[in-house]
Amino acid sequence: MTITVRPGSTVMFTGDSITDCQRLESEDGLGFGYPLRIAGEWGLRHPDRPVTWLNTGVAGHKVSDLEARWQTDVLDAGPDVVSILVGGNDMGWHTLDPQGHVIPAEEFEAGYDRLLAPLAEAGTELILIEPFLLPIHGVIEAGAGVALIGEKEREEWRIDLDPKIQAVRKLARKYGAHLIAADGMFAELAATAGPEYWAADGVHPTPAGHAALAAAWLRLVA
C-alpha cells in the first residue's frame, strides 16, 4: 500500500549527512541529494498537487543527536509525512572519534523508538530508510582525514551495522511504517555496476546512488 500525498501536505526528510547533503548551501534548503530529486520528480509528475518539502538532516548526527533536536526540528513543524535515514554515524563511531564508543543496537533501537512514537501518535505517515554500507575496496579517509578506513574497519562496521538494520526493520513493523531496504538494494545494485559506482566511500551515495534512493522512495507514494 502506498502513501497518498495530498495537495498542501508537508513532507519532511531528516537524518544525517546523506539527507543533509549541503542543504544550507542550497537555494531551496533541500540540499543536492535524494530529497531534491524526490521533490523535483514529484513536481514533474503532479503539478496539480503542490507539496511543502522540508529537509532537517544534519551531517554527523546519530540517533541521540536527532533526539535532542526532535521537538524543534521535526515535531513542531507538524509534517504529514516524515522520512528518516539515520544510523551511518551510529555505526563504527568508535573508529572515527577518540571519544567514541560502540553504540549497542539496543541503545540505537530505543532512541529510534522514541523518535517514532510521537509521530505515530499524531498519525504521521512514516518512511524509514535503513542505513547501509557498500563493500567498496581499498583504504579511504573518513571524518575529514580523522581516520583511515580499510577492509578491517569496514568488517567491524558491518558487524556493528547489521543488528541496527534489523532494529530499523523491527521498528518499521511496530509502527506500520514504510521501509526502504537500502542496504539490500545497494548490495544488489553493486553486483552489476560495482559498489563505488553507487557510493565511492561505501557510505555517501554518488549522484547515481541518490537517484536510486529517490526512485525507491517515490515507489512508496502516490
Side-chain angles (χ1 to χ4, degrees), residues 4-163:
T4 299
V5 180
R6 295 178 174 81
S9 293
T10 296
V11 178
M12 177 178 288
F13 303 96
T14 195
D16 53 33
S17 59
I18 301 170
T19 302
D20 180 339
C21 212
Q22 299 176 289
R23 64 182 175 87
L24 297 180
E25 300 171 28
S26 63
E27 184 175 349
D28 49 22
L30 289 176
F32 302 99
Y34 74 93
L36 178 65
R37 291 175 178 271
I38 289 167
E41 183 64 27
W42 178 269
L44 176 64
R45 297 180 188 180
H46 305 288
D48 57 329
R49 278 194 274 167
V51 171
T52 297
W53 304 95
L54 301 175
N55 183 346
T56 60
V58 177
H61 273 201
K62 304 179 290 297
V63 163
S64 59
D65 299 306
L66 266 65
E67 194 171 359
R69 61 185 177 87
W70 203 243
Q71 183 68 48
T72 55
D73 279 8
V74 179
L75 301 181
D76 286 352
D80 301 287
V81 180
V82 173
S83 174
I84 306 170
L85 170 51
V86 68
N89 297 300
D90 295 85
M91 164 195 71
W93 185 41
H94 58 292
T95 64
L96 295 177
D97 188 328
Q99 304 301 316
H101 59 273
V102 175
I103 298 173
E106 296 77 13
E107 179 182 326
F108 171 83
E109 181 178 341
Y112 207 138
D113 197 328
R114 289 191 293 270
L115 299 179
L116 299 177
L119 292 170
E121 185 176 352
T124 309
E125 296 279 10
L126 299 170
I127 297 176
L128 309 186
I129 306 175
E130 67 184 27
F132 49 85
L133 179 64
L134 279 74
I136 64 165
H137 307 286
V139 176
I140 60 154
E141 285 191 0
V146 169
L148 295 176
I149 305 299
E151 301 294 336
K152 176 179 177 294
E153 289 79 13
R154 281 193 291 275
E155 287 178 9
E156 291 181 22
W157 285 12
R158 172 51 68 182
I159 292 169
D160 193 7
L161 181 63
D162 282 344

Side-chain angles (χ1 to χ4, degrees), residues 197-209:
Y197 183 81
W198 306 102
D201 63 359
V203 175
H204 297 90
T206 60

Side-chain angles (χ1 to χ4, degrees), residues 172-195:
R173 292 191 296 271
K174 176 179 178 178
Y175 288 103
H178 289 72
L179 175 73
I180 296 179
D183 191 62
M185 176 188 77
F186 279 124
E188 185 175 339
L189 290 171
T192 54

